Structure formats: C-alpha cells, structure tokens
Amino acid sequence: MRDTFVCVATLQELLVQSSRTFAVGIDLLPVPLREEITVAYLLLRVSDYLEDNQELGNDEKIGLLKEWRSVLEGRGDRAALAARLQEAREATPDALVARHATTVLDGLDSLAPEARDVLVRRVRESSAGMARWTERGSVFQNEADLDDYMHEVAGRVGYLLTELFSLRLRLRGERARMMELGREFGLALQTVNVIRGLHEDRDRGWVYVPAAFLPDPRIRPGELFDPANRKAAMAVLDRLVRKADRHLAAARAYIRLIPRLHHRVRLFCLLPLLFAVRTLAISRANPKVLKRETKMSRREVETITRRAKVWGFSNRWIAWYCRRLEIRGAQRR
C-alpha cells in the first residue's frame, strides 16, 4: 500500500488520498478558506499519526509531538523531523500524510499570516494535548476525562474552524457562542468516531469508555467485548449514543448561526454532521458495533451529499432530514 502513494505530492492529492468524506466538504469551500482548511486538516493528520501509530513507543511519540510543535513555530529542525516522518511504515492515511510533512508545511508557509497564526496556535495546542494523553494512557475514570481527551483532539478543531470563519465571513452569531458550539461540534464527531471504532481501538490497546459508564464496577472497559458481558456493553453503547445525541444538537445550533448566504461553508459543516447522524443511527442499539467498524456505504455518502447541496440552506430541512436519517438507520439494522 505504501508504494501506491509514493508519487502523491500535492496538498489536494494528499487530502483526497487521506479522507473519503472530508475532502468532499473542503472542496466546496470558497477561497481562501479551501486552502486554509486543507492545510489545517493535513497538519492535524500528522499530529494524529504521532499520537495513534503503532510503530513507536510512547516516549518517542511524546518527543516527536514536542518536536512537531517546535517546527510549527519555526524553531525546530524541519528537515530532520521530515526525514524521520518519511520512515513511517504503516499503511494508514495518517502515515501517508506524515511521510509528506514537508509538502504540508510548505502549504502552511504559503498561507496569509493571520490564517497561518491560527493554524499554528491551534495545532500546537492539540498536539500538546495529545502528548499529555499519550503520557497518561487510556484511563478514563468519568465522562469529564473522556471530554478532556476529545477536547484536545477534536474540540480544539472547532475553535480553529470558528476562528477561520470569523476571519473570512460575516457571521451574525456572537463569537463566544460560536466558539462554545464549535467545541461541541468537535465533541459530537469524536463521540461518533469512538462508537464506530470501539472494536478497532480495543485492538490497539485503547478503549474510550469511562469506568463510570459501566453498570457493573467489576467489569473493566476492555472486558466489554467478552460475550459474557454483552448486556453491560449494550448499556455502555446506549450511554455513548445519548452523549453523541446531545453534542449533535449543539452542532445543529452551530450551523444555524452561519448565514445562508455562506451556503458552501454551511455545506462544509453540514456534511460531517449528516454523516455522523447517519452513522449514529446505524450504531444505535446495534451489537455489531462491538465486532466491527460501523460505517456508511459509499452510495449513502453520495446520496446525502447530493441532497444537502440542494436543500442545505434550509434549517427546517436539516432538522427533518436528520430525523429521517435516524429512522432509516433503525430500519437498516
């Protein structure tokens, strides 16, 4: 798989190769937001590789995340770090982007100073949070622990996007309110990611389930996948789904604050929301989540995208279509 990507060189090629869904929304954005958010997405994929990969020990991950932050600031040895990242061997989208870190950093250099400052600050903050959690390990005592982790890897992305929108758009919503809802939007998408990736994350040693969510204190999070603990696992799944529902309600409120005249920006935000609603609907009360990743079909992605492009300007349609996706998800199971 690595050889397949060896010729990938441009930011657009990296975006398409590393994301099946986000590339669709990013391509809809007006300039300069399209370029700015493309670079932001790819920078965060490098951070994700440094946190999530299974090639490196925790101490090396923490050290590289620290060096990555220094390079973003313009203080570290960019060439040395890029050479180190080119050694990434995993056949994953994150590793692909990491191997092309020089291209991504060159893209960062090309942005306007005000946008570059936002990206550097927010990606640095997220990377520092990832390093803190890498050192701490996958121990989540309560929902606050889980929210803290998700804030670092996704909530701060909500901040980043809101700051870019504030730079480029005329927004009617108060900035403080949009920052708050943007964080919730990030937590919504990350909670859905936790649900659909429960089994895969368990295989790499991380289970994003707070101990407080377990109905029986004698059961450890990693034991939820034991068939003998199926009832407890389904109770945990239900709690995670209800948590995602709460965050998704905030995400819909965020989109309503983006004026309809910025239709393409609304679409960029709306598509991941609709994909999350659909994925959550498929996952709700579905024991298959414990055995394999839950995801939409390519046809479903295309259908949702096509309809959102036509009707996404309407807040009423968004509310109606979210309900429809939830119902059809239950029927599919």
Side-chain angles (χ1 to χ4, degrees):
M1 184 174 184
R2 185 183 178 190
D3 291 339
T4 302
F5 298 130
V6 72
C7 294
V8 174
T10 70
L11 294 174
Q12 181 62 25
E13 288 170 329
L14 283 173
L15 175 65
V16 171
Q17 291 281 15
S18 61
S19 172
R20 184 179 68 151
T21 54
F22 278 103
V24 175
I26 292 175
D27 284 346
L28 295 171
L29 288 167
V31 295
L33 276 173
R34 186 188 310 147
E35 291 79 9
E36 292 163 357
I37 292 177
T38 293
V39 173
Y41 177 82
L42 295 173
L43 288 170
L44 289 163
R45 293 307 295 248
V46 176
S47 298
D48 287 344
Y49 167 75
L50 293 175
E51 180 208 11
D52 287 343
N53 77 83
Q54 298 184 53
E55 302 176 74
L56 309 175
N58 284 349
D59 289 344
E60 190 170 6
K61 289 181 181 180
I62 294 168
L64 286 172
L65 281 165
K66 181 179 179 180
E67 183 61 23
W68 175 236
R69 300 198 305 274
S70 295
V71 167
L72 290 172
E73 287 183 322
R75 297 187 296 105
D77 188 334
R78 177 187 292 200
L81 179 61
R84 177 66 183 84
L85 292 175
Q86 285 177 351
E87 298 174 3
R89 301 294 179 183
E90 289 185 345
T92 64
D94 291 346
L96 163 67
V97 179
R99 289 193 289 270
H100 292 84
T102 297
T103 299
V104 180
L105 290 168
D106 288 346
L108 177 65
D109 291 341
S110 72
L111 300 180
E114 63 273 18
R116 186 169 62 245
D117 290 347
V118 172
L119 267 60
V120 168
R121 174 162 40 84
R122 292 304 184 185
V123 175
R124 282 189 70 256
E125 291 172 349
S126 182
S127 299
M130 291 178 182
R132 176 168 61 86
W133 271 98
T134 298
E135 184 175 15
R136 173 172 171 168
S138 58
V139 178
F140 304 95
Q141 296 297 339
N142 49 44
E143 187 170 358
D145 283 347
L146 181 59
D147 283 351
D148 179 78
Y149 172 80
M150 295 199 301
H151 171 73
E152 299 295 358
V153 301
R156 292 191 186 278
V157 180
Y159 290 161
L160 185 159
L161 293 175
T162 303
E163 286 197 63
L164 289 180
F165 294 161
S166 298
L167 283 175
R168 306 304 182 199
L169 310 175
R170 297 181 62 182
L171 300 176
R172 65 171 176 263
E174 295 182 3
R175 178 185 171 92
R177 178 59 175 158
M178 290 199 71
M179 292 290 278
E180 176 186 350
L181 292 173
R183 175 184 182 274
E184 287 287 311
F185 204 147
L187 266 59
L189 300 184
Q190 190 63 27
T191 304
V192 174
N193 281 341
V194 166
I195 292 169
R196 73 185 184 90
L198 278 170
H199 189 271
E200 180 181 356
D201 290 330
R202 188 280 303 267
D203 290 343
R204 70 181 186 89
W206 282 68
V207 180
Y208 298 92
V209 174
F213 280 20
L214 298 167
D216 187 339
R218 294 171 297 180
I219 300 175
R220 297 179 180 179
E223 297 172 340
L224 286 173
F225 302 88
D226 188 327
N229 296 323
R230 175 61 57 84
K231 183 176 180 180
M234 296 307 293
V236 168
L237 175 61
D238 178 68
R239 187 157 179 179
L240 286 170
V241 167
R242 286 186 282 115
K243 175 177 174 58
D245 279 332
R246 295 194 301 272
H247 294 309
L248 285 169
R252 289 193 291 273
Y254 183 88
I255 293 174
R256 288 196 295 269
L257 290 177
I258 302 174
R260 295 177 184 178
L261 64 93
H262 300 304
H263 180 56
R264 287 188 287 172
V265 177
R266 280 173 63 101
L267 274 176
F268 166 74
C269 296
L270 178 59
L271 289 175
L273 168 67
L274 295 178
F275 297 154
V277 169
R278 178 62 175 160
T279 301
L280 190 65
I282 299 169
S283 304
R284 194 183 305 266
N286 184 358
K288 295 178 182 178
V289 171
L290 303 173
K291 298 181 179 180
R292 61 177 182 268
E293 181 183 7
T294 304
K295 59 183 179 180
M296 301 174 293
S297 67
R298 185 174 296 276
R299 181 177 180 181
E300 287 173 318
V301 170
E302 293 171 351
T303 299
I304 291 171
T305 301
R306 183 174 63 252
R307 291 175 178 172
K309 286 180 178 179
V310 176
W311 296 102
F313 66 89
S314 168
N315 292 332
R316 287 188 177 182
W317 179 85
I318 292 172
W320 171 82
Y321 196 50
C322 285
R323 291 194 296 270
R324 181 180 178 185
L325 290 175
E326 290 170 354
I327 293 171
R328 294 190 67 184
Q331 292 172 342
R332 172 175 164 177
R333 291 194 307 274

